[in-house]
Amino acid sequence: MAGGRPSEVLPGGAGLTSAEAARRLAADGPNRLPAGERSPVLLLLLREMVHFFALLLWAAAGLALLAGMSQLSVAIVVVVLFNGAFAFVQEYRADQASRRLRELIPADVTVRRDGRRTVVRAADLVRGDVVLLEAGDRISADLELAEVHALAVNESTLTGESVPVRHRARDTVFAGTFVVEGQAEAVVTATGDRTRLAAIATLTRTATRPPSPLARRLSKVIKVIAGMALGVGTVFFAVTQVLGMAPADGFLLALGVTVALVPEGLLPTVTLSLARAARLMAGRKALVRHLEAVETLGSATFICTDKTGTLTRNEMTVVEIWTPAGPLDLGSPACAAEIMRSAVLCSTGRLVHADGGHRGVGDPMEVALHALALRAGAGEDAAVTRRHPFDPVRRRSSAVAGGRLHLKGAPDAVLPLCAPAAGASRALADMSERGLRVLAVARRDDPGEGAAEETERGLTLLGLVGLEDPPRADVAEAIATCRRAGIKLAMITGDHPGTARAIAAQVGLLGPDPLVLTGRELPGDDASLGELLDRDGAVIARVTPEDKLRIARALRSRGHVVAMTGDGVNDGPALREADIGIAMGASGTDVAREAADLVLLDDHFATIVTAVELGRATYANIRRFLTYHLTDNVAELTPFLVWALSGGTVPLALSVLQVLALDIGTDLLPALALGAEPANPRTMRGPARTGALLDRRLLRRVFVVLGPAEAAAEMAAFAVVLLLGGWALGATPSPALLGAASGTAFTAVVLGQLANAFACRSETRWAGRLPFAGNRLLLWAVATETVMLMVFLGFPPIAALLGGSFPPPVGWALAALAVPAVVGADAVHKALRARLSAPHPDKGI
C-alpha cells in the first residue's frame, strides 16, 4: 500500500507501472554505486606538502633564507613542490578504484513496464522491476530469476570462478556479472548501495594501502639524519659562544651547518632511481602505478596468486578423450570426429570469425568443443530439429539431429543413462584426479518422441572428454625462481578446489606438505589464519573478497611483505590491502587495475619475477647511493668537528657554501648513476633484504671505513698545504693560503667521492673486481663531477663565493691520495669481512 492506495503493479508478470516505478525511484534513489566521502582535492594536495620530510625541507628552506642563501632556499622549495605534486597525482589516481566500479553498470536495460517491453536507463531501475535478460547482457542490479531458459552467467568478476554458472528459477544473480548464454526474466531485489557489487565497492574504498617498506625505511633515515643535523647545529652554536663569537654570527654559522646537512637531494635521488626502474619494468610489460611499488615488490616475501588467467591461459582446451575402444590420439584430430560431432550438436557455444581472427561466443567449454570439432572436420552436417537445453537439475543437454539423439553432460548424470561401458568409471576417476573438467558424450539412434526424461535413455556412451584451462608455459620456471629467491607462494582462487590443486601440482606450486582448503574452512581469527597459511605452496579455493582481505592482513601481521595478484572486481579490496597489488592488464577489470600498484601488461606470472628482480636491484641501489651520500657527510662534518675540538686553533677546511656545492653540485650525478647500477646475477638467490636501510653493516662501512678514509685524506692535505705555507697552530693564515688549503681539501673530498662512487657499486667486491664500464652512466657522472670541480675552483666568481682556490701542485698531489685511500680502505674491509663471514652469501648487492 502507498498512501492508502493499492500498489500500482500490473498482474501476470507485466511488471511495474511507470507511476509505481517513479515512486520507488524517489524513495530508494537511483541505481548507482555509492561514491563515498572524498576529501577535497586541495586538502589531499596539502597533505603531501606537510608530511615529515616535507616539513623538514620547508624548515631547511626557511633556515637557508634566514642565513642569506636565497638560491638554496628557492631550490629546496621547488623540490618540495615537485615531490608533493607527484605524490598527490599518484595517490589521486589510486583512489579511483571504487569509482571505476560504476562503469560495470550498463547504461540501458530492457524491462517490462506498463505491460510492455521497454528500455530504461540502468540508473532508473527499482525494486520489483521485471528485467529481460539475453546473452551478452551485463546484469545491472541484484535479481531473482523468475523464468529461465538455458541461462549461463559469467560471475568471474565477483567470484573468481572461471566457468559460467548455470542458474534456474528462484536463484539470485548479481550486478556486475553478465549473461553468456540463454534468456531469463528476473525481478529486481536490490539496487544501488544495497547490491553485492556495492558491498565490494565499500571494501575497496575502505581498504587502506599500508605504508610501503621503502616509505617506512626512508622515514627512519630522514629522522636520523635530521636529528644529527639539528644536534650538530646546536652543538656548533654552543661552541661558537664558548669561543667568544658574536651570537648573531654564531647563529648564522650554525644555521648554515644545519642546512648543509639536511638531505635535500635524498628524496629526488630516490624518486629518480625508482622512476628509472619503473621505466625498465614498463619495457618488460610491468606497469608501475606507484613508484614506491618498485622497491616494495623487491621486498616481497609472500606472493598470493590467482589461478585463472594468471597461472593459466584462461582458455578451455580439450586435452584428452577416452572412448570404450580406448583413448584417442588428439594429435590426429580426425579420429575424434564422431564424438565431437555429437558434442557440438547438443551445444550452443561456438568459435566464430571476428575482426580477422576468431573469438568464442557462449560457454567456454562448448567453445573448446567446437574448436576441436573444426580441427577434426566434424562440422554441423545435420540440422537440429529439437533441443533440450542444459538444465542445472538434469546437468545435461541434448539435441535431435539427423535422426539421432545427441547428449552431453556431467558424467554422473549421463553414465546411468547409458549401457555399461568397461573402463568408464576408471577413466573418469583418473581424469578427475588430474583436475580435468570431464564431460560425457552419448548418442541414441532412435530419438523417440516426448519430453527429455522420456527420450534421454537407452543411450550408447561415445566417450569422456577431458578439458582444462592449461597453465602458461613459463609459469613453472617463474615459480621455481621465486622459491630460489626465498619467496613463499599461495594460490588463492574462486575456482573448484580439485581444479586448483591439479593446476598447482602441474606448475610446481603445491608444497611438499600439501594444504588445500576452501574459504569456508579457513579459521575464524586472523592469528590462527596467519599461522596456518604461513607456509609455502598452500592452495585456498572458493574464496570470497572478504577471505582475500583477511588473508592479506593475516600474512602481513606475521611480518610478511605481501604481493597479491588479481584481475576481477572481487580482487579490488585485497589488492588495496596488500603491500603491493598486482593486476592483470590484458584480461583484468578496470577496478583491479586502478586498485593495484603494478599492472602486468601481458598477464604473465613470469613478468612478476622480472619485476621482483628489478625491485631488489633498486633496493640495492638505494643502499649504494645512501652509502655514497653519508660518506660525503662524514667528510663534510670533519672540518667543523676539528675546528670545534681544537677550540678554533685549526681553521675551517671547508666553508658552508663549499659543503652545499658538494651536496648539490658534485654529488648528485654520481648518486643518480649508482641508482642505475645493473642487477647482480645473484640478486634472485636467497631471501630479500627487508630490514632497515641504515643497518649496522652500512653504518659500519660509512663511519668506520669509507668516511674516515676520505676525511683523513681531506684533513691531511689541508694541513700539509697550510704547514708548507708557513702556518703554525693557533695562527691565522693569510686569505690566499687559506683559499689554497681549502681548495685542496675540497678537491680531496671530490676525488675521494669519485673513488667512493666506484667502491659503492658493490658491498662485497672491491672496485678492481668490477667491470670498469659496467655502469656507463657512472663514467659520465664522474667525468661531469671532474669538470664541475674545475669550475668551482677555476671560475673566479664561483671560487670567490665558495671561498676556495686552485690548489698548488703539491696540493693536487695530496688531494689525489684520497683515491687510493678510499679504494684501499674499502678493499681491506671487504676482504676482512669476507674472511669472517664466508658462510653468508652475497645478498645480490
Side-chain angles (χ1 to χ4, degrees):
M1 301 288 290
R5 297 167 51 193
S7 176
E8 297 186 56
V9 181
L10 297 177
L16 301 176
T17 65
S18 296
E20 175 64 14
R23 187 190 71 79
R24 296 188 182 189
L25 182 64
D28 295 343
N31 180 36
R32 296 193 183 100
L33 293 176
E37 297 182 2
R38 302 183 61 83
S39 299
V41 173
L42 289 178
L43 180 59
L44 293 175
L45 180 59
L46 180 62
R47 288 175 183 170
E48 298 298 338
M49 301 296 179
V50 295
H51 57 75
F52 179 81
F53 186 76
L55 291 175
L56 179 64
L57 292 182
W58 283 120
L63 293 175
L65 186 63
L66 185 61
M69 295 172 279
S70 58
Q71 292 179 337
L72 175 62
S73 180
V74 171
I76 295 174
V77 169
V78 170
V79 169
V80 175
L81 295 178
F82 172 80
N83 283 286
F86 184 82
F88 161 74
V89 170
Q90 295 297 315
E91 189 61 29
Y92 184 79
R93 290 180 60 194
D95 287 338
Q96 303 305 302
S98 61
R99 302 181 71 180
R100 285 297 184 106
L101 281 161
R102 300 183 188 184
E103 298 179 6
L104 295 179
I105 300 297
D108 300 307
V109 61
T110 302
V111 300
R112 186 177 291 119
R113 283 187 184 172
D114 300 314
R116 298 187 303 274
R117 181 189 181 100
T118 186
V119 176
V120 301
R121 294 189 311 161
D124 294 337
L125 272 184
V126 296
R127 289 179 298 106
D129 260 328
V130 175
V131 177
L132 308 180
L133 298 174
E134 295 182 353
D137 288 349
R138 190 175 290 278
I139 295 173
S140 50
D142 289 356
L143 312 173
E144 181 179 316
L145 298 173
E147 185 178 335
V148 174
H149 302 280
L151 184 72
V153 179
N154 186 323
E155 299 179 348
S156 61
T157 55
L158 292 180
T159 67
E161 170 63 66
S162 58
V163 177
V165 179
R166 299 283 180 172
H167 284 287
R168 49 184 173 173
R170 303 186 67 84
D171 284 353
T172 298
V173 292
F174 299 101
T177 61
F178 61 93
V179 179
V180 297
E181 182 182 339
Q183 297 176 329
E185 290 189 10
V187 178
V188 176
T189 58
T191 60
D193 59 4
R194 301 172 183 85
T195 62
R196 171 66 171 162
L197 185 63
I200 296 177
T202 300
L203 285 175
T204 301
R205 188 171 58 250
T206 58
T208 56
R209 178 174 288 109
S212 71
L214 179 61
R216 295 192 294 266
R217 293 165 183 159
L218 282 178
S219 177
K220 292 180 180 179
V221 170
I222 292 168
K223 289 177 181 177
V224 169
I225 296 178
M228 181 179 68
L230 293 174
V232 169
T234 301
V235 171
F236 199 81
F237 175 73
V239 170
T240 62
Q241 298 310 292
V242 171
L243 296 178
M245 185 177 291
D249 294 338
F251 182 66
L252 289 177
L253 189 56
L255 281 179
V257 173
T258 303
V259 169
L261 293 177
V262 171
E264 297 93 354
L266 179 59
L267 192 55
T269 303
V270 172
T271 301
L272 290 174
S273 178
L274 295 175
R276 179 185 179 276
R279 287 195 298 272
L280 291 176
M281 287 186 180
R284 302 183 188 184
K285 306 298 184 181
L287 178 63
V288 175
R289 298 191 63 255
H290 309 282
L291 287 185
E292 289 179 355
V294 172
E295 191 275 338
T296 305
L297 187 59
S299 301
T301 61
F302 208 114
I303 297 177
C304 299
T305 177
D306 195 4
K307 178 187 73 68
T308 303
T310 307
L311 300 178
T312 68
R313 298 204 300 257
N314 197 19
E315 299 172 359
M316 296 301 294
T317 305
V318 178
V319 296
E320 187 174 338
I321 296 179
W322 176 91
T323 69
L328 299 183
D329 180 10
L330 295 186
S332 303
C335 68
E338 183 178 9
I339 186 173
M340 296 315 299
R341 183 177 292 108
S342 289
V344 169
L345 284 171
C346 54
S347 301
T348 57
R350 293 292 184 267
L351 187 68
V352 300
H353 291 280
D355 301 325
H358 295 84
R359 67 180 179 89
V361 176
D363 189 316
M365 284 196 294
E366 294 188 343
V367 171
L369 296 175
H370 189 225
L372 181 58
L374 293 176
R375 290 171 52 206
E380 299 176 64
D381 53 5
V384 175
T385 58
R386 188 169 74 250
R387 186 182 297 280
H388 298 295
F390 182 91
D391 183 279
V393 177
R394 296 166 53 243
R395 292 190 297 154
R396 59 185 184 268
S397 61
S398 63
V400 175
R404 289 174 169 175
L405 175 71
H406 307 270
L407 181 144
K408 78 172 191 327
D412 57 348
V414 175
L415 293 180
L417 307 176
C418 302
S425 298
R426 185 167 58 254
L428 173 60
D430 179 63
M431 288 184 179
S432 300
E433 287 177 1
R434 287 183 280 119
L436 301 183
R437 299 181 185 275
V438 185
L439 293 174
V441 182
R443 188 173 64 196
R444 176 182 171 183
D445 290 337
D446 178 13
E449 298 291 339
E453 296 299 333
E454 298 173 357
T455 59
E456 295 173 354
R457 61 181 61 183
L459 303 170
T460 299
L461 180 67
L462 296 182
L464 302 175
V465 180
L467 303 96
E468 72 171 358
D469 180 7
R472 294 184 181 273
D474 47 5
V475 164
E477 176 56 31
I479 288 175
T481 302
C482 287
R483 291 229 162 89
R484 288 194 295 269
I487 300 173
K488 293 182 179 180
L489 297 164
M491 177 193 290
I492 302 178
T493 177
D495 222 329
H496 188 278
T499 304
R501 181 188 184 112
I503 293 296
Q506 289 180 44
V507 301
L509 184 143
L510 202 62
D513 181 19
L515 175 67
V516 181
L517 298 170
T518 64
R520 292 183 178 180
E521 296 172 324
L522 296 176
D525 66 287
D526 288 354
S528 299
L529 177 62
E531 183 178 359
L532 176 65
L533 298 184
D534 194 357
R535 65 171 71 196
D536 188 25
V539 175
I540 305 97
R542 299 298 195 203
V543 295
T544 65
E546 293 85 354
D547 292 332
K548 296 190 77 168
L549 268 176
R550 289 187 58 227
I551 289 169
R553 289 172 180 166
L555 292 174
R556 286 180 50 227
S557 69
R558 293 181 65 85
H560 283 291
V561 177
V562 178
M564 179 78 70
T565 72
D567 56 7
V569 175
N570 61 313
D571 296 320
L575 293 179
R576 287 276 288 176
E577 178 68 27
D579 292 288
I580 178 165
I582 305 173
M584 304 300 110
S587 62
T589 62
D590 283 343
V591 176
R593 289 191 287 267
E594 288 292 343
D597 304 283
L598 187 77
V599 178
L600 303 183
L601 300 179
D602 56 4
D603 286 10
H604 284 192
F605 180 84
T607 305
I608 297 177
V609 178
T610 301
V612 168
E613 182 177 14
L614 286 171
R616 288 191 175 190
T618 301
Y619 171 83
N621 288 343
I622 292 175
R623 284 178 60 89
R624 288 185 175 103
F625 60 67
L626 187 57
T627 303
Y628 179 82
H629 275 306
L630 293 180
T631 299
D632 192 32
N633 278 355
V634 173
E636 292 167 351
L637 268 179
T638 299
F640 296 95
L641 292 177
V642 171
W643 176 85
L645 292 175
S646 68
T649 58
V650 176
L652 278 171
L654 297 176
S655 69
V656 171
L657 290 181
Q658 282 177 314
V659 170
L660 296 175
L662 289 170
D663 283 342
I664 299 176
T666 64
D667 273 359
L668 193 57
L669 288 180
L672 293 175
L674 286 173
E677 185 71 22
N680 187 291
R682 289 168 287 184
T683 296
M684 294 298 287
R685 297 179 190 172
R689 284 184 171 178
T690 57
L693 285 170
L694 285 180
D695 58 11
R696 285 184 296 177
R697 183 173 177 175
L698 187 150
L699 293 175
R700 186 184 306 115
R701 191 173 179 213
V702 167
F703 292 105
V704 178
V705 182
L706 296 175
E710 189 172 305
E714 165 200 19
M715 295 308 299
F718 174 73
V720 170
V721 170
L722 283 180
L723 292 172
L724 291 177
W727 171 79
L729 188 64
T732 301
S734 66
L737 178 58
L738 182 59
S742 183
T744 300
F746 184 86
T747 303
V749 175
V750 172
L751 296 181
Q753 282 295 93
L754 185 152
N756 184 34
F758 287 95
C760 287
R761 291 183 61 197
S762 173
E763 283 192 16
T764 57
R765 292 175 292 170
W766 78 287
R769 289 185 56 197
L770 301 172
F772 183 73
N775 185 342
R776 294 185 180 276
L777 287 178
L778 184 59
L779 298 181
W780 283 104
V782 297
T784 304
E785 184 179 12
T786 304
V787 171
M788 296 185 72
L789 171 63
M790 297 297 106
V791 172
F792 287 151
L793 293 177
F795 189 58
I798 294 180
L801 177 66
L802 297 182
S805 61
F806 255 91
V810 66
W812 282 105
L814 292 169
L817 292 177
V819 174
V822 171
V823 172
D826 179 65
V828 171
H829 174 248
K830 289 174 179 175
L832 290 175
R833 193 176 63 196
R835 180 175 298 180
L836 294 174
S837 58
H840 299 286
D842 184 359
K843 297 294 186 180
I845 298 179

